[in-house]
Amino acid sequence: MSDPLKRSFPPVVDAGTRVLVLGSLPGERSLAEQRYYAHPQNQFWRLMSPVAGQDLVPLAYAERLATLQAAGIGLWDVVAQARRTGSSDAAIRDLAANDLASLVTTLSQLRAIGFNGGTALRHGRAQLGEAAAHYAIVALPSSSPLHTVGVAAKQKAWLALADYL
């Protein structure tokens, strides 16, 4: 039996997006709840709070997204769909990529692209091709609970995104 097919969510972007944060593919909890970074142990919302200038953790999901967008931050994933058991990026198979190159051409204010983890960086850079040269590329330590480094150790890299807002 093959691994189940998982699909990413639509991008959360608008005309004011200056920083685009790209993950790989939502994990099991996020897919079940249909929300980016839904797992309570995922560090994404804590890492993004100082970047966005507001504590995102206590906010309802819609408010989190609205706060990111108001700050000029967008979200998406590099993988459109793939087969995967569980939530580990290492288990991703038979992936189909999201069309990052087309998306970034629609974002006239875009200055930087942050890749949440090594899988997102590897696949995303390949998908962007020459378009990557037009933006600052920020490699971010994964916010995943599977990447066991604490928030404090990751925060400096994530704060670099604020330079592009």
Side-chain angles (χ1 to χ4, degrees), residues 3 16 27 56 59-60 79 99 104 115 133 155:
D3 292 333
L56 300 167
L59 301 179
V79 177
D99 190 353
V104 299
F115 291 99
Q155 193 66 73

Side-chain angles (χ1 to χ4, degrees), residues 24-85:
S24 53
L25 180 68
E28 292 297 307
R29 182 77 171 260
S30 293
L31 291 168
E33 295 185 24
Q34 289 295 289
R35 298 185 304 138
Y36 281 104
Y37 306 105
H39 195 289
Q41 292 177 335
N42 192 296
Q43 300 165 338
F44 179 82
W45 300 109
R46 284 178 283 173
L47 291 165
M48 286 302 296
S49 290
V51 178
Q54 183 174 342
D55 186 1
L56 300 167
V57 175
L59 301 179
Y61 182 65
E63 291 176 281
R64 288 175 175 179
L65 295 182
T67 301
L68 288 181
Q69 286 189 286
I73 302 165
L75 300 177
W76 205 22
D77 290 302
V78 299
V79 177
Q81 67 180 33
R83 297 199 177 279
R84 180 185 68 202
T85 297

Side-chain angles (χ1 to χ4, degrees), residues 12-161:
V12 177
V13 295
D14 62 21
T17 299
R18 293 181 301 280
V19 171
L20 179 63
V21 179
L22 298 169
S24 53
L25 180 68
E28 292 297 307
R29 182 77 171 260
S30 293
L31 291 168
E33 295 185 24
Q34 289 295 289
R35 298 185 304 138
Y36 281 104
Y37 306 105
H39 195 289
Q41 292 177 335
N42 192 296
Q43 300 165 338
F44 179 82
W45 300 109
R46 284 178 283 173
L47 291 165
M48 286 302 296
S49 290
V51 178
Q54 183 174 342
D55 186 1
L56 300 167
V57 175
L59 301 179
Y61 182 65
E63 291 176 281
R64 288 175 175 179
L65 295 182
T67 301
L68 288 181
Q69 286 189 286
I73 302 165
L75 300 177
W76 205 22
D77 290 302
V78 299
V79 177
Q81 67 180 33
R83 297 199 177 279
R84 180 185 68 202
T85 297
S87 296
S88 172
D89 284 354
I92 292 174
R93 303 283 181 264
D94 304 323
L95 73 85
N98 273 319
D99 190 353
L100 302 180
S102 289
L103 177 69
V104 299
T105 65
T106 69
L107 303 173
S108 63
Q109 302 299 310
L110 188 64
R111 300 175 64 199
I113 301 170
F115 291 99
N116 186 356
T119 299
L121 177 65
R122 185 173 60 255
H123 290 290
R125 283 191 102 146
Q127 289 162 235
L128 286 169
E130 292 180 17
H134 300 288
Y135 310 102
I137 301 298
V138 183
L140 302 166
S142 176
S143 68
S144 168
L146 299 175
H147 186 70
T148 58
V149 175
V151 171
K154 298 176 184 181
Q155 193 66 73
K156 182 178 179 184
W158 282 77
L159 275 172
L161 296 173

